[in-house]
């Protein structure tokens, strides 16, 4: 069980010693029971850091934002940044390091193991609470009373349930983790951050929720026509709000090749250059154009997506975007023994090959 | 396929294929098919590229978006790449593209990859003919085609 | 810049015009954006055709043009040269292939015309985004490497040094000379093979411009035409050739006997041996595999008797790196294995020999000192059967191709046999007699008429041993009868195949092989000595079966190609190389990992292309998620335009 005081002390220590300019972490949200990301820059703020199942965000995104800010700043502050990182967040940092987005010494990774659980899926929780709003969500302490549905065998440490209180009723209800955890947490293979400068919490090997890539495998089971019917519906309702791209730490490209609104135009950009920008898809939110956008994004994340599930969480029209990415990560893992963010020294998935890569699909 | 009207449609339908051929093997192989006067379907229009490894997934998505009924990518056999490794990079990348397209439910016969060497004129003709036949069965590609 | 594109549609006589409505193609293209000139002509590549192109460029002030004609492998250079003559940069000219990829493979005019239009239109859209480019000048290393020192390699090396070039001559065996060394006499003149080869071998050893590396193999290669870096691995030199006095004290004490390669297994040699008396380099050598044990040294007898101390068991293999400008590959042939010829008793009966073994029997330097006798009992064979096309021209079971030299050498063998055994009878089973070559047909006729060789047209079905004889069951298709001959000896004219290790050297040097495993020339007619890789040339039987005169000619041709190449101060490297779009590069290094030529490095956090190393393959383009790198004149924009043109 992670003691949040330890995280606070560590963050305070980093700031006190001046080892970092800031620490990225979570604090209590103002609007609901859900935690929100925060950047703390002085020791006093460390006490506001929280750690609970509502720490949903992938904070690696803010490392990217910091880097972008420093790049345009006249007086860049190049001191390292501390970051509270779950298993998935640390893998994201791993990919960013692999891609030289910043250097290892630029970041102090305060690892937090999700141990036997993970973070909740707000939609699942909301459904579970039947319209009531959670006021407090915490990890159920091991050995605590009244775990609905009984203990999960094999969960040896941490928590296997989520304590939830709702507004107007401060009695805690324990909901089995399986019922409210985000899909990616149910399929998580590395809940403890491997890349870290310090880790709080234990590594829990046996997390028998779902098999890895469970959701993608389920989706594969549908017939071709059913698959298309599903995805046509998804692409059709996409608003092209680009929230999925905005929340993704890997979508740090200066311009997005499938979004002409992002094309960088400066004073030095000639008319010919402007005219010669390739429009692989149109801006209109048609099924076909949204398909190009999402498929491109999926391919561009192949071997880079670390399955934080943020794209899916933020999608305002509930497109299960995570499926596209995990499908490719599944292929990468099964066919090429490649796992994104596991080795910062490895060549990327698409810039490497093995003689024994699948060949039988080729005529 | 039991519907008789569909059958007629299949016969009248001429699939449009964009064929990306690597310069050194497959384009040379198609040249050999020409020199050997091997007759094959005219449905595939070739675009010669330096190497199958140079294919960006965008080319494939774009071709489907613009209404291609099928996309063919053809390169040198493993071990024969003029640039040594390009076809291996292509193989891995295009495997993923194929898997992704199938995952969202594009008909699996619409995207094809082949190894055709400079000596395989006959094989090139066969690859095109087979592809055209498979696409005739599927009919026009409407799933990823832009409505414009 | 305003596009002023010209389109030239070639009829190629009737080759294109019979299937493609060339006039329509030209007329339709004239309507396209930016096309200011579009015409058809009967032979675009002819002198008047090219003149018309040059005039059109000038008259219309063209800044790009498409020639819609045959494959770019044929006339891209022709028209790019013409382009330059019209003061249009060569790289503003593109070829649309409407012959090989269209007219020749379709019959329906309407359909073919439609496709030709798409192909041409796509090229127009491409060329409208082409950049003017200038070839990249690359300095040249004026030094050549020849791999394989048979007659082809020796000839090529000597020709190269005649032009003043330094040559590294690499040979896998302990001596140079190759297969030709094993021959007794050569057709059609019957001059002694060693007599004509040995002087050339000596010239090699005396030539200060040749660095001879025997028992050596190419390990790896990097770089590019004009500037290769080649790593050559030389086996441990246990016997120092400088010290070895050729006294032959060592062989009598060596306890190991293994089959002698030089005598094609007809005799044995010791682990320490000299390949043959006139070997170059003239030195004994220690066969590492056969020696009883170098590590730990368990025998050591030869070292004990060597007075000059030339033997050192502690020697290790060495790897040297050489700077090389151009390479000739002449790795020769092996005979197709006798073990495949079970039906003819190949590999089963000692008196069924292959052609090279028979050469050794005829040779004065051979096991029998030139007396033809059966290996089994040393009796002189009185009836001898030669079987041609053994393993050749048999696509079902063996090699599909004709090995070309067997008709002639079999006639030679039969003639030599008759000279050695005047009272013997020679029979030759053949499918066809292919005696194209100066004096070849006359030679075959002489063998029939003067030497009474009996030619039987037909295949042999089986050879088996019966009562100490080899019973040959065949047919004479001309007489229409079965033939049975009880022979004393059978000689199989085994097919030629690429020497062992050809696949490996091809892989190391990145040159292609054809369907039969021979090294592939860049063009079957117009580039017969060039490999597909710039700066690497082919000579001799490694490229395809051929006889000595042809091999020598090809070696000379390859050498002259190298001499021409290395006579320049600078080589022109294709400027169609990768270019980074700096603002979009984030330095993720995917292109760096993907580049097969190590041509990309990070400079100040951005990818940077070494244009000399870049071959323009576009592997980088295929992996860059930011589209921050492109190959000049095959950019993603251009491909996008081509897709649009085709799908319009």
């Amino acid at each position: 069980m992670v003691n949040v005081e330890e995280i606070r002390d560590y963050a305070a220590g980093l700031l006190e010693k001046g080892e970092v300019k800031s620490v990225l972490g979570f604090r209590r949200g103002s609007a609901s029971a859900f935690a929100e990301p925060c950047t703390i820059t002085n020791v006093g703020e460390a006490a506001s850091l929280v750690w609970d199942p509502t720490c949903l965000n992938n904070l690696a995104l803010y490392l990217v934002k910091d880097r972008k800010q420093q790049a345009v700043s006249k007086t860049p502050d190049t001191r390292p940044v501390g970051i509270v990182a779950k298993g998935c967040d640390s893998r994201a940092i791993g990919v960013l390091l692999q891609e030289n987005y910043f250097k290892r010494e630029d970041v102090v990774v305060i690892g937090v193991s999700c141990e036997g659980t993970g973070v909740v899926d707000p939609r699942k929780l909301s459904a579970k609470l039947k319209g009531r709003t959670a006021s407090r969500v915490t990890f159920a302490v091991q050995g605590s009373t009244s775990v609905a549905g009984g203990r999960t065998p094999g969960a040896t440490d941490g928590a296997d349930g989520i304590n939830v209180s709702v507004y107007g009723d401060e009695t805690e209800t324990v909901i089995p983790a399986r019922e409210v955890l985000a899909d990616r947490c149910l399929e998580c293979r590395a809940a403890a951050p491997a890349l870290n400068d310090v880790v709080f919490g234990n590594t829990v090997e046996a997390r028998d929720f779902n098999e890895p890539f469970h959701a993608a495998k389920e989706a594969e089971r549908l017939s071709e026509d059913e698959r298309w019917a599903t995805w046509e519906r998804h692409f059709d309702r996409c608003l092209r709000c680009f929230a999925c791209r905005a929340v993704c730490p890997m979508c740090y490209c200066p311009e997005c090749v499938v979004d002409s609104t992002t094309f960088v135009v400066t004073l030095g950009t000639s008319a010919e250059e402007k005219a010669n920008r390739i429009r692989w898809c149109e801006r209109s939110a048609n099924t076909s154009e949204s398909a190009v956008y999402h498929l491109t994004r999926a391919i561009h994340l192949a071997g880079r997506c670390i399955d934080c599930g943020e794209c899916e969480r933020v999608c305002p029209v509930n497109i299960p975007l995570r499926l596209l990415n995990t499908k490719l990560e599944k292929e990468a893992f099964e066919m090429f023994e490649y796992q994104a963010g596991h080795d910062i020294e490895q060549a990327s998935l698409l810039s490497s090959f093995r003689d024994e890569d699948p060949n039988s699909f080729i005529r | 396929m039991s519907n008789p009207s569909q059958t007629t449609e299949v016969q009248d339908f001429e699939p449009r294929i964009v064929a990306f051929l690597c310069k050194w093997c497959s384009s040379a192989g198609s040249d050999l098919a020409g020199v050997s006067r091997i007759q094959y379907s005219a449905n595939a229009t070739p675009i010669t590229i330096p190497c199958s490894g140079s294919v960006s997934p965008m080319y494939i998505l774009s071709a489907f978006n613009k209404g291609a009924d099928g996309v063919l990518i053809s390169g040198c056999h493993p071990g024969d790449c003029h640039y040594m490794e390009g076809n291996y990079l292509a193989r891995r990348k295009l495997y993923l593209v194929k898997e992704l397209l199938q995952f969202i439910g594009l008909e699996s016969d619409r995207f094809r990859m082949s190894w055709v060497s400079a000596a395989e004129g006959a094989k090139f003709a066969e690859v095109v003919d087979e592809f055209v036949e498979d696409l005739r069965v599927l009919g026009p590609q409407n799933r990823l085609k832009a409505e414009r | 810049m305003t596009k002023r594109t010209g389109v030239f549609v070639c009829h190629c006589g009737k080759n294109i015009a019979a299937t493609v409505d060339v006039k329509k193609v030209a007329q339709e293209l004239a309507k396209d954006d930016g096309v200011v000139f579009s015409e058809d002509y009967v032979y675009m590549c002819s002198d008047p055709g090219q003149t018309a192109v040059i005039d059109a460029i000038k008259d219309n002030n063209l800044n790009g043009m498409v020639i819609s004609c045959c494959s770019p492998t044929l006339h891209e250079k022709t028209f790019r040269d013409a382009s330059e003559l019209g003061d249009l940069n060569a790289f503003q000219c593109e070829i649309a292939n409407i012959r090989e990829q269209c007219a020749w493979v379709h019959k329906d005019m309407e359909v073919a015309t439609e496709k030709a239009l798409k192909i041409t239109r796509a090229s127009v859209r491409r060329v409208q985004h082409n950049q003017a480019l200038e070839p990249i000048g690359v300095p040249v290393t004026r030094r050549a490497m020849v791999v394989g020192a048979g007659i082809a390699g020796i000839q090529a090396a000597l020709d190269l040094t005649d032009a003043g070039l330094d040559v590294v001559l690499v040979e896998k065996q302990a001596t140079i000379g190759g297969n030709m060394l094993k021959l007794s006499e050569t057709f059609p003149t019957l001059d002694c093979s060693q007599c004509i080869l040995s002087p050339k071998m000596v010239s090699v050893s005396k030539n200060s411009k040749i660095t001879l590396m025997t028992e050596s193999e190419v390990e790896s290669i990097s770089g590019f035409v004009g500037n290769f870096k080649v790593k050559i691995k030389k086996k441990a030199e246990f016997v120092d050739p400088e010290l070895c006095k050729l006294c032959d004290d060592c062989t009598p004490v060596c306890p190991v006997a293994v089959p002698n390669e030089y005598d094609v297994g007809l005799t044995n040699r010791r682990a320490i041996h000299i390949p043959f008396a006139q070997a170059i380099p003239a030195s004994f050598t220690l066969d590492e595999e056969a020696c009883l044990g170098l590590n730990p040294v368990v025998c050591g007898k030869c070292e004990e008797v060597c007075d000059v101390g030339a033997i050192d068991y502690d020697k290790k293999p060495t790897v040297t790196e050489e700077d090389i400008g151009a390479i000739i590959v002449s790795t020769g042939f092996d005979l197709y294995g006798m073990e495949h010829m079970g039906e003819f008793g190949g590999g089963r009966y000692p008196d069924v020999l292959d052609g090279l073994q028979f050469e050794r029997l005829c040779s004065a330097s051979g096991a029998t000192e030139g007396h033809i006798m059966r290996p089994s009992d040393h009796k002189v064979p009185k009836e001898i059967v030669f079987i041609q096309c053994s393993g050749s021209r048999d696509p079902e079971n063996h090699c599909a191709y004709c090995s070309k030299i067997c008709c002639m050498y079999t006639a030679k063998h039969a003639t030599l046999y008759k000279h050695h055994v005047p009272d013997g009878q020679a029979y030759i089973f053949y499918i066809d007699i292919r005696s194209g070559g100066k004096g070849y047909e006359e030679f075959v006729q002489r063998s029939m008429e003067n030497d009474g060789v009996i030619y039987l047209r037909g295949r042999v079905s089986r050879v088996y041993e019966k009562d100490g004889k080899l019973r040959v069951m065949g047919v004479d298709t001309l007489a229409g009868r079965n033939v049975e001959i009880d022979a004393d000896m059978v000689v199989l004219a085994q097919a030629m195949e690429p020497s062992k290790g050809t696949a490996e050297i091809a892989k190391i040097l990145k040159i292609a092989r054809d369907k039969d495993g021979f090294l592939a020339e860049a063009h079957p007619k117009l580039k017969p000595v060039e490999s597909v890789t710039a700066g690497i040339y082919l000579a001799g039987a490694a490229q395809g079966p051929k006889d000595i005169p042809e091999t020598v000619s090809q070696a000379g041709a390859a050498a002259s190609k190298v001499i021409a190449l290395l006579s320049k101060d600078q080589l022109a490297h294709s400027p169609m190389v990768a270019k980074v779009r700096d603002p979009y590069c984030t330095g993720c290094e995917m292109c760096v990992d993907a580049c097969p030529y190590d041509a990309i490095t990070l400079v100040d956090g951005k990818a940077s292309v070494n244009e000399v190393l870049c071959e323009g393959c576009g592997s980088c383009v295929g992996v860059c998620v930011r589209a921050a790198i492109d190959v000049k004149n095959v950019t993603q924009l251009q491909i996008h335009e081509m897709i649009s043109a085709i799908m319009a």
Side-chain angles (χ1 to χ4, degrees):
Chain A
M1 189 75 184
V2 176
N3 179 357
V4 72
E5 287 302 333
E6 290 177 356
I7 301 175
R8 291 171 183 161
D9 289 349
Y10 191 85
L14 288 177
L15 288 165
E16 193 163 32
K17 282 177 270 176
E19 287 177 14
V20 295
K21 64 178 172 188
S22 59
V23 173
L24 295 166
F26 295 93
R27 69 180 171 206
R28 187 83 286 118
S30 51
S32 71
F34 284 80
E36 64 184 22
C38 64
T39 302
I40 58 169
T41 50
N42 62 58
V43 177
E45 289 174 307
S48 64
L49 292 178
V50 299
W51 173 245
D52 65 36
T54 68
C55 296
L56 309 177
N57 311 56
N58 184 344
L59 298 180
L61 173 69
Y62 300 95
L63 288 177
V64 171
K65 288 189 185 297
D66 179 68
R67 161 76 207 267
K68 286 193 172 175
Q69 259 171 21
Q70 300 310 323
V72 294
S73 166
K74 285 201 175 105
T75 51
D77 184 347
T78 55
R79 286 178 296 160
V81 176
I83 177 171
V84 174
K86 304 184 287 289
C88 42
D89 307 351
S90 94
R91 292 197 298 278
I93 297 166
V95 174
L96 291 167
L97 287 172
Q98 184 187 357
E99 296 179 0
N100 306 317
Y101 201 66
F102 43 77
K103 297 194 195 65
R104 182 65 184 86
E105 58 268 28
D106 293 340
V107 56
V108 177
V109 181
I110 307 165
V112 187
S113 170
C114 293
E115 299 189 324
T117 54
V119 299
V120 299
D121 178 333
R123 293 183 183 104
K124 287 186 190 173
L125 184 63
S126 173
K128 194 78 192 168
L129 296 178
K130 299 193 173 70
R132 290 177 301 164
T133 307
S135 60
R136 205 172 109 84
V137 182
T138 57
F139 296 112
V141 183
Q142 187 178 23
S144 68
T145 52
S146 71
V147 174
R151 296 188 60 80
T152 310
T156 55
D157 202 354
D160 48 21
I162 306 287
N163 283 324
V164 179
S165 312
V166 297
Y167 283 106
D169 177 3
E170 289 309 308
T171 49
E172 283 190 340
T173 314
V174 180
I175 303 172
R178 173 185 295 281
E179 294 175 18
V180 287
L181 280 193
D183 280 357
R184 45 134 168 173
C185 299
L186 294 174
E187 296 174 14
C188 183
R189 287 168 294 154
L195 178 97
N196 63 66
D197 292 286
V198 60
V199 190
F200 298 105
N202 300 310
T203 302
V204 178
E205 295 295 343
R207 291 167 48 91
D208 49 348
F209 296 122
N210 286 336
E211 56 169 342
F213 314 116
H214 173 80
K217 284 179 179 171
E218 286 297 310
E220 279 174 351
R221 271 188 246 281
L222 298 174
S223 73
E224 196 171 71
D225 288 341
E226 288 168 336
R227 290 199 300 276
W228 174 247
T230 312
W231 283 102
E232 184 181 26
R233 227 174 42 241
H234 294 327
F235 294 145
D236 187 42
R237 69 174 186 276
C238 173
L239 308 168
R240 301 277 279 294
C241 68
F242 299 112
C244 47
R245 188 183 69 201
V247 79
C248 179
M250 300 314 153
C251 279
Y252 61 78
C253 301
E255 62 175 42
C256 179
V257 294
V258 276
D259 176 12
S260 55
T261 60
T262 66
F263 288 173
V264 180
V265 177
T266 65
L267 287 175
T269 312
S270 68
E272 193 172 354
E273 274 178 88
K274 282 184 210 163
N276 287 348
R277 288 292 170 71
I278 314 168
R279 285 166 70 134
W280 293 111
C281 61
E282 296 301 322
R283 287 166 60 183
S284 46
N286 291 334
T287 312
S288 62
E289 309 309 300
S290 296
V292 171
Y293 165 71
H294 286 295
L295 295 176
T296 302
R297 188 164 173 276
I299 278 288
H300 282 182
L301 284 168
R304 305 172 68 230
C305 172
I306 43 73
D307 194 14
C308 62
E310 288 285 88
C311 46
E312 185 165 308
R313 180 177 69 86
V314 300
C315 180
V317 291
N318 294 345
I319 301 175
L321 289 166
R322 195 182 145 257
L323 286 178
L324 296 178
N325 303 122
T326 47
K327 159 68 183 171
L328 293 183
E329 293 316 307
K330 167 181 161 288
E331 297 302 328
F333 180 64
E334 290 178 352
M335 293 298 164
F336 311 125
E337 291 176 15
Y338 188 97
Q339 297 186 72
H342 275 238
D343 176 4
I344 64 173
E345 296 303 326
Q346 68 187 339
S348 71
L349 174 68
L350 293 184
S351 58
S352 54
F353 63 86
R354 300 185 302 173
D355 286 348
E356 63 270 28
D357 280 354
N359 192 66
S360 60
F361 72 100
I362 302 169
R363 169 73 169 79
Chain B
M1 289 302 128
S2 55
N3 185 335
S5 68
Q6 259 183 349
T7 317
T8 345
E9 195 182 306
V10 163
Q11 280 160 356
D12 294 342
F13 167 61
E14 287 297 339
R16 297 197 295 169
I17 300 169
V18 182
F20 295 94
L21 312 181
C22 84
K23 173 177 174 178
W24 300 95
C25 291
S26 296
S27 189
S30 82
D31 278 356
L32 180 62
V35 173
S36 319
R37 307 297 201 278
I38 300 168
Q39 301 295 304
Y40 58 88
S41 314
N43 304 56
T45 310
I47 293 180
T48 301
I49 48 173
C51 174
S52 54
S54 74
V55 171
S56 158
M58 301 310 303
Y59 300 173
I60 301 155
L61 296 176
S62 177
F64 283 128
N65 179 262
K66 292 176 196 307
D69 299 303
V71 175
L72 172 70
I73 307 226
S74 192
C76 310
H77 286 269
D80 289 350
C81 178
H82 180 79
Y83 302 109
M84 303 179 289
E85 297 174 349
N87 54 354
Y88 289 106
L89 294 169
R91 182 171 67 178
R92 179 173 277 204
K93 177 169 52 200
L94 298 177
Y95 173 83
L96 293 171
V97 172
K98 171 196 76 108
E99 285 294 320
L100 182 65
L101 291 174
Q102 285 179 13
F103 187 72
I104 58 121
L106 181 73
E107 298 93 333
S108 59
D109 270 337
R110 296 214 184 266
F111 175 62
R112 195 156 291 186
M113 194 173 172
S114 63
W115 300 137
V116 172
S117 79
E120 293 176 324
K123 181 177 174 184
F124 180 77
E126 277 169 31
V127 165
V128 172
D129 277 344
E130 281 174 19
F131 198 10
V132 172
E133 284 320 301
D134 292 344
L135 290 173
R136 273 189 214 285
V137 175
L138 287 179
Q141 187 272 120
N142 295 320
R143 296 190 171 174
L144 295 179
K145 186 181 178 182
E147 303 125 12
R148 51 172 180 253
Chain C
M1 193 166 58
T2 317
K3 308 289 178 202
R4 298 189 63 81
T5 311
V7 179
F8 303 85
V9 187
C10 182
H11 299 210
C12 195
K14 278 280 169 202
N15 278 302
I16 294 171
T19 331
V20 171
D21 184 344
V22 284
K23 288 227 177 304
K24 185 177 173 196
V25 174
Q27 283 160 10
E28 288 292 317
L29 263 300
K31 299 175 198 161
D32 277 25
D33 277 354
V35 175
V36 295
F37 181 92
S38 181
E39 294 224 326
D40 58 286
Y41 185 73
V42 60
Y43 281 112
M44 219 79 234
C45 61
S46 66
D47 188 60
Q50 289 192 47
T51 308
V53 170
I54 294 165
D55 290 346
I57 296 171
K58 290 179 176 165
D59 295 349
N60 299 282
N61 198 16
L62 299 182
N63 55 21
M65 69 170 174
V66 170
I67 316 284
S68 200
C69 58
C70 54
S71 167
T73 54
L74 288 153
H75 280 310
E76 186 177 80
K77 186 169 185 316
T78 310
F79 291 113
R80 286 191 168 173
D81 289 349
S83 185
E84 289 280 348
L85 289 173
D87 287 333
L88 176 63
N89 181 279
F91 291 87
Q92 299 286 20
C93 165
E94 291 293 342
I95 304 294
N97 179 353
I98 59 164
R99 193 178 75 173
E100 284 82 350
Q101 293 183 343
C102 186
W104 276 353
V105 289
H106 308 310
K107 283 213 171 68
D108 184 314
M109 190 145 199
E110 196 181 330
V111 169
T113 304
E114 195 52 41
K115 182 172 163 186
L117 258 169
K118 286 185 191 170
I119 293 173
T120 310
R121 184 166 282 138
S123 291
V124 168
R125 298 277 281 274
R126 177 184 173 191
V127 86
Q128 290 180 339
H129 291 282
N130 267 14
Q131 279 179 268
L133 300 173
E134 293 302 332
I136 300 163
V138 183
V140 180
T141 307
R142 302 198 68 241
R143 199 151 179 265
M145 176 173 77
V146 178
V147 186
I151 179 59
I154 290 171
Q155 183 66 46
L158 292 173
D159 286 357
L160 290 168
T161 58
D162 278 350
L165 293 172
D166 288 317
V167 176
V168 179
L169 179 57
V170 182
E171 169 58 50
K172 195 194 245 178
Q173 305 296 332
T175 177
I176 62 171
N179 278 314
M180 186 173 164
L181 265 187
K182 300 171 188 163
L183 308 184
S184 56
E185 277 87 24
T186 55
F187 62 78
T189 46
L190 294 186
D191 41 356
C192 152
S193 179
Q194 279 204 14
C195 309
I196 55 177
L197 180 58
S198 297
K200 283 189 182 287
M201 291 168 59
V202 174
S203 299
V204 167
S205 74
K206 298 257 182 283
N207 192 322
S208 61
K209 294 189 104 38
I210 296 179
T211 308
L212 177 59
M213 300 185 71
T214 50
E215 298 196 273
S216 300
E217 292 185 64
V218 175
E219 195 176 64
S220 67
I221 185 173
S222 59
F224 46 89
V225 55
N227 293 279
F228 293 110
K229 281 198 185 300
V230 184
K231 283 206 174 109
I232 302 166
K233 185 174 183 180
K234 185 171 172 60
K235 281 189 189 166
E237 203 169 55
F238 300 110
V239 183
D240 187 337
E242 299 298 318
L243 295 176
C244 177
K245 295 275 177 284
L246 303 173
C247 64
D248 201 13
D249 285 348
C250 49
T251 56
V253 300
C254 180
V256 188
V258 291
N260 185 349
E261 303 86 356
Y262 175 59
D263 267 337
V264 204
L266 291 173
T267 58
N268 284 338
R269 63 162 172 81
R270 302 293 166 162
I272 191 158
H273 66 289
I274 185 164
F276 78 110
Q278 291 82 30
I280 300 287
S283 170
F284 277 68
T285 176
L286 183 57
D287 178 346
E288 201 171 344
E289 274 98 64
C291 181
L292 267 186
L294 287 160
N295 189 21
V297 179
V298 294
C299 171
K301 289 200 172 79
C302 50
E303 190 194 17
E304 283 165 26
V305 299
C306 184
D307 289 343
V308 293
I311 301 170
D312 178 359
Y313 301 125
D314 294 330
K315 280 288 175 69
K316 295 277 175 291
T318 54
V319 176
T320 49
E321 189 176 80
E322 302 282 350
D323 289 317
I324 298 291
I327 298 168
I328 294 175
V329 190
S330 50
T331 47
F333 73 95
D334 281 331
L335 287 184
Y336 187 60
M338 288 287 273
E339 67 278 7
H340 302 300
M341 312 312 297
E343 68 270 36
F344 298 159
R348 190 154 12 125
Y349 306 129
D351 299 329
V352 176
L353 306 177
D354 69 25
L356 277 178
Q357 288 176 317
F358 191 74
E359 295 282 348
R360 297 311 300 149
L361 284 186
C362 297
S363 170
S365 67
T368 58
E369 291 172 346
H371 300 292
I372 296 176
M373 51 178 71
R374 285 157 47 110
S376 62
D377 54 11
H378 293 194
K379 284 189 183 144
V380 175
K382 294 294 181 190
E383 304 252 313
I384 185 164
V385 171
F386 295 90
I387 303 175
Q388 291 194 177
C389 298
S390 175
S392 296
R393 303 177 66 188
D394 186 349
E396 260 90 66
N397 305 307
H398 303 293
C399 310
Y401 52 88
C402 165
S403 293
K404 201 169 181 181
I405 63 167
C406 329
C407 288
M408 290 308 299
Y409 81 61
T410 301
K412 177 190 77 179
H413 284 168
T415 303
L416 289 177
Y417 168 75
K418 285 294 285 186
H419 294 180
H420 283 87
V421 188
D423 61 336
Q425 182 56 58
Y427 303 88
I428 298 178
F429 282 95
Y430 71 101
I431 306 177
D432 303 289
I433 297 174
R434 297 179 171 180
S435 53
K438 213 170 187 177
Y440 287 12
E441 175 59 19
E442 296 88 323
F443 183 84
V444 173
Q445 289 302 326
R446 271 204 305 281
S447 80
M448 291 179 190
E449 288 156 19
N450 299 359
D451 298 313
V453 176
I454 297 176
Y455 271 82
L456 296 162
R457 185 173 194 193
R459 283 191 182 265
V460 170
S461 59
R462 213 174 138 217
V463 175
Y464 60 96
E465 214 165 43
K466 192 157 197 276
D467 306 330
K469 295 268 190 185
L470 293 163
R471 174 157 292 180
V472 180
M473 311 285 286
V475 283
D476 178 353
T477 54
L478 296 181
R481 61 189 170 87
N482 289 337
V483 181
E484 280 182 35
I485 300 168
D486 282 334
D488 299 308
M489 183 180 277
V490 172
V491 180
L492 306 181
Q494 285 301 95
M496 283 170 108
E497 61 180 9
S499 67
K500 282 165 201 69
T502 303
E504 208 187 334
I505 189 78
K507 193 161 190 183
I508 292 170
L509 297 178
K510 291 128 201 162
I511 53 178
R513 292 189 302 144
D514 62 25
K515 68 178 184 10
D516 300 316
F518 291 100
L519 299 177
E521 62 278 13
H523 189 278
K525 296 172 195 78
L526 302 179
K527 290 187 173 177
V529 301
E530 288 93 330
S531 79
V532 291
T533 302
I536 303 185
Y537 301 85
L538 313 173
Q543 182 261 340
K546 54 178 67 69
D547 60 19
I548 296 166
E550 244 191 294
T551 296
V552 171
S553 315
Q554 199 183 17
S560 73
K561 288 283 174 192
V562 171
I563 293 163
L565 178 78
L566 300 186
S567 66
K568 297 168 189 143
D569 296 332
Q570 282 205 323
L571 291 181
H573 180 67
S574 166
M576 287 173 64
V577 293
K579 183 174 188 318
V580 179
R581 298 163 68 226
D582 271 348
Y584 314 104
C585 176
T586 64
C588 73
E589 273 188 317
M590 285 190 201
C591 54
V592 174
D593 291 329
C595 179
Y597 299 96
D598 299 331
I600 311 178
T601 46
L602 282 197
V603 177
D604 297 333
K606 305 255 182 199
S608 169
V609 178
N610 178 335
E611 296 197 334
V612 170
L613 291 178
C614 176
E615 288 286 323
C617 68
S619 291
C620 48
V621 180
V623 298
C624 183
V625 297
R626 290 164 254 285
I629 196 162
D630 257 321
V631 175
K632 289 177 187 172
N633 288 3
V634 224
T635 61
Q636 293 160 86
L637 172 70
Q638 287 175 300
I639 302 283
H640 176 262
E641 293 297 300
M642 291 175 87
I643 299 170
S644 304
I646 289 171
M647 295 316 302

